[in-house]
Amino acid sequence: MGISDIDTDYNNYTHHTDSYALRYNYERNFGTTFPDGLLDDFEADLIYQMSKFDPVKEIEGAKSLIQFFKDRQVSFCFATGALPKPAMIKLQQCDIWYDEKILATSKTHESREGFVLDAIAKAKSFYNIERFDQILSLGDGVWDLKTAQNLSLDFVGIGDRNRKKLIENGAKNCFSDLTQFRERFL
């Protein structure tokens, strides 16, 4: 993309998403507005780069959790700071069921709140539900927790890497992996 000076201090980022990171670093480097079409070029480049590396590995318990939800007709959706095509490739590499109709990404919303709200709206439409009684937001980063807090959603932390930070910032439920979450929480 021609960006040579990438800010690796993520505390400087307003949003922790692929689309924002690209725009932020582009505008920092070139001092000009982010051009139309660059996000599409970036997504295509990410897909190309992904073809050069080993497939991603499933987050422990992800596939079985999605199957658990499907078997019990529990409504769920995917909200990610990634771009759609790389996100779908990762799901395919892990053999995890998904439907593009319940996938919300940073392609349409730079803010996490934006694509989480989009995911909820997509889930309502997909499952033909007017209102959810409870919405759980699962994530592994403090930005996921803050998003859930900003939207008044229940949050569940996944993974041990950021567990301490999540708890310090108000997370009440944290699990080492998705299998532990399913076994102890659901």
Side-chain angles (χ1 to χ4, degrees), residues 3 26 29-30 41 43 48 51-52 63 67 118 122 128 134-135 139 142 159 163 171:
I3 300 169
Y26 183 90
N29 274 252
F30 300 111
D41 294 343
E43 185 175 38
Y48 172 76
S51 73
K52 301 293 181 192
K63 183 178 178 179
Q67 191 60 51
D118 187 33
K122 286 181 174 197
N128 196 27
Q134 181 182 29
I135 299 175
V142 173
R163 178 189 293 258

Coordinates of all heavy atoms in Angstrom, one line a residue, residues 3 26 29-30 41 43 48 51-52 63 67 118 122 128 134-135 139 142 159 163 171:
I3 N 2.8 2.3 2.5 CA 2.9 2.9 3.8 C 4.1 2.3 4.4 O 4.3 1.1 4.6 CB 1.6 2.5 4.7 CG1 0.4 3.0 4.0 CG2 1.8 3.0 6.1 CD1 -0.9 2.5 4.6
Y26 N -2.4 5.3 6.6 CA -2.3 6.0 5.3 C -2.3 7.5 5.4 O -1.4 8.2 4.9 CB -3.5 5.6 4.4 CG -3.4 6.1 3.0 CD1 -2.7 5.4 2.0 CD2 -3.9 7.4 2.7 CE1 -2.6 6.0 0.7 CE2 -3.8 7.9 1.4 CZ -3.1 7.2 0.4 OH -3.0 7.8 -0.8
N29 N 0.9 8.8 7.0 CA 2.1 8.7 6.1 C 2.0 9.7 4.9 O 3.0 10.3 4.5 CB 2.2 7.3 5.5 CG 3.0 6.4 6.4 OD1 4.1 6.0 6.1 ND2 2.4 6.0 7.5
F30 N 0.8 9.9 4.4 CA 0.7 10.7 3.1 C 0.1 12.1 3.3 O 0.1 12.9 2.4 CB 0.0 9.9 2.1 CG 0.6 8.6 1.7 CD1 0.1 7.4 2.0 CD2 1.9 8.6 1.1 CE1 0.7 6.2 1.7 CE2 2.5 7.5 0.8 CZ 1.9 6.2 1.1
D41 N -8.4 -2.8 -2.3 CA -7.0 -3.2 -2.6 C -6.3 -3.9 -1.5 O -5.7 -4.9 -1.6 CB -6.2 -2.0 -3.1 CG -6.7 -1.4 -4.4 OD1 -7.5 -2.1 -5.1 OD2 -6.3 -0.2 -4.7
E43 N -7.8 -5.4 1.1 CA -8.4 -6.7 1.3 C -7.9 -7.7 0.3 O -7.6 -8.8 0.7 CB -10.0 -6.6 1.2 CG -10.7 -7.8 1.5 CD -12.2 -7.7 1.5 OE1 -12.7 -6.9 0.7 OE2 -12.8 -8.3 2.4
Y48 N -4.2 -12.4 -0.7 CA -3.0 -12.9 -1.4 C -2.0 -13.3 -0.3 O -1.4 -14.4 -0.4 CB -2.4 -11.8 -2.3 CG -1.0 -12.2 -2.8 CD1 -0.9 -13.2 -3.9 CD2 0.1 -11.7 -2.3 CE1 0.3 -13.6 -4.3 CE2 1.4 -12.1 -2.8 CZ 1.5 -13.0 -3.8 OH 2.7 -13.4 -4.2
S51 N -2.7 -16.6 1.3 CA -2.5 -17.8 0.5 C -1.0 -18.2 0.6 O -0.7 -19.4 0.3 CB -2.8 -17.5 -1.0 OG -1.8 -16.6 -1.6
K52 N -0.1 -17.4 1.1 CA 1.3 -17.7 1.3 C 1.6 -18.4 2.6 O 2.7 -18.8 2.8 CB 2.1 -16.4 1.1 CG 2.0 -15.8 -0.2 CD 2.5 -16.6 -1.3 CE 2.3 -15.9 -2.7 NZ 2.6 -16.9 -3.8
K63 N -15.4 -24.3 16.7 CA -16.3 -25.1 15.8 C -17.4 -25.8 16.6 O -18.5 -25.8 16.2 CB -15.4 -26.1 15.0 CG -16.2 -26.9 14.1 CD -15.3 -27.9 13.3 CE -16.1 -28.7 12.3 NZ -15.3 -29.6 11.6
Q67 N -21.5 -25.2 16.4 CA -22.4 -26.4 16.2 C -23.4 -26.5 17.4 O -24.6 -26.8 17.2 CB -21.6 -27.7 16.1 CG -22.4 -28.8 15.6 CD -23.1 -28.6 14.2 OE1 -22.4 -28.2 13.3 NE2 -24.4 -28.8 14.1
D118 N -24.3 -3.6 13.8 CA -24.7 -4.2 12.5 C -24.9 -5.7 12.6 O -25.8 -6.2 12.1 CB -23.6 -3.9 11.5 CG -23.9 -4.2 10.1 OD1 -25.1 -4.2 9.7 OD2 -23.0 -4.6 9.3
K122 N -28.3 -7.7 11.8 CA -28.2 -8.8 10.9 C -28.8 -10.1 11.5 O -29.6 -10.9 10.9 CB -26.8 -9.1 10.3 CG -26.3 -8.0 9.4 CD -24.9 -8.4 8.9 CE -24.5 -7.4 7.8 NZ -23.4 -7.8 7.0
N128 N -35.2 -13.8 12.2 CA -36.6 -13.2 12.2 C -37.0 -13.0 13.7 O -38.1 -13.5 14.1 CB -37.6 -14.1 11.5 CG -38.9 -13.4 11.2 OD1 -38.9 -12.2 11.0 ND2 -39.9 -14.2 11.0
Q134 N -31.4 -11.4 25.8 CA -30.0 -11.2 26.3 C -29.0 -11.3 25.1 O -29.2 -12.1 24.2 CB -29.6 -12.3 27.3 CG -28.2 -12.1 27.8 CD -27.9 -13.3 28.8 OE1 -28.4 -14.4 28.7 NE2 -27.0 -12.9 29.8
I135 N -28.0 -10.5 25.1 CA -27.0 -10.5 24.1 C -25.6 -10.7 24.8 O -25.3 -9.8 25.7 CB -27.0 -9.3 23.2 CG1 -28.3 -9.1 22.5 CG2 -25.8 -9.3 22.2 CD1 -28.4 -7.9 21.7
G139 N -15.2 -12.0 23.5 CA -14.0 -11.4 22.9 C -12.8 -11.6 23.7 O -12.9 -12.1 24.9
V142 N -9.3 -6.0 25.4 CA -9.9 -5.0 26.2 C -10.9 -4.1 25.3 O -11.9 -3.7 25.7 CB -8.9 -4.1 26.9 CG1 -9.5 -2.9 27.6 CG2 -8.1 -4.9 27.9
G159 N -9.8 -16.5 26.7 CA -8.4 -16.6 26.5 C -7.7 -16.1 27.8 O -8.2 -15.3 28.5
R163 N -6.6 -11.9 30.3 CA -7.5 -12.1 31.4 C -7.4 -11.1 32.5 O -8.4 -10.5 32.9 CB -7.3 -13.5 31.9 CG -8.3 -13.8 33.1 CD -8.0 -15.1 33.8 NE -8.2 -16.2 33.0 CZ -9.3 -17.0 33.1 NH1 -10.2 -16.8 34.1 NH2 -9.5 -18.1 32.3
A171 N -14.5 -7.0 33.5 CA -15.0 -8.3 33.0 C -15.3 -9.2 34.2 O -14.5 -9.3 35.1 CB -14.1 -9.0 32.0

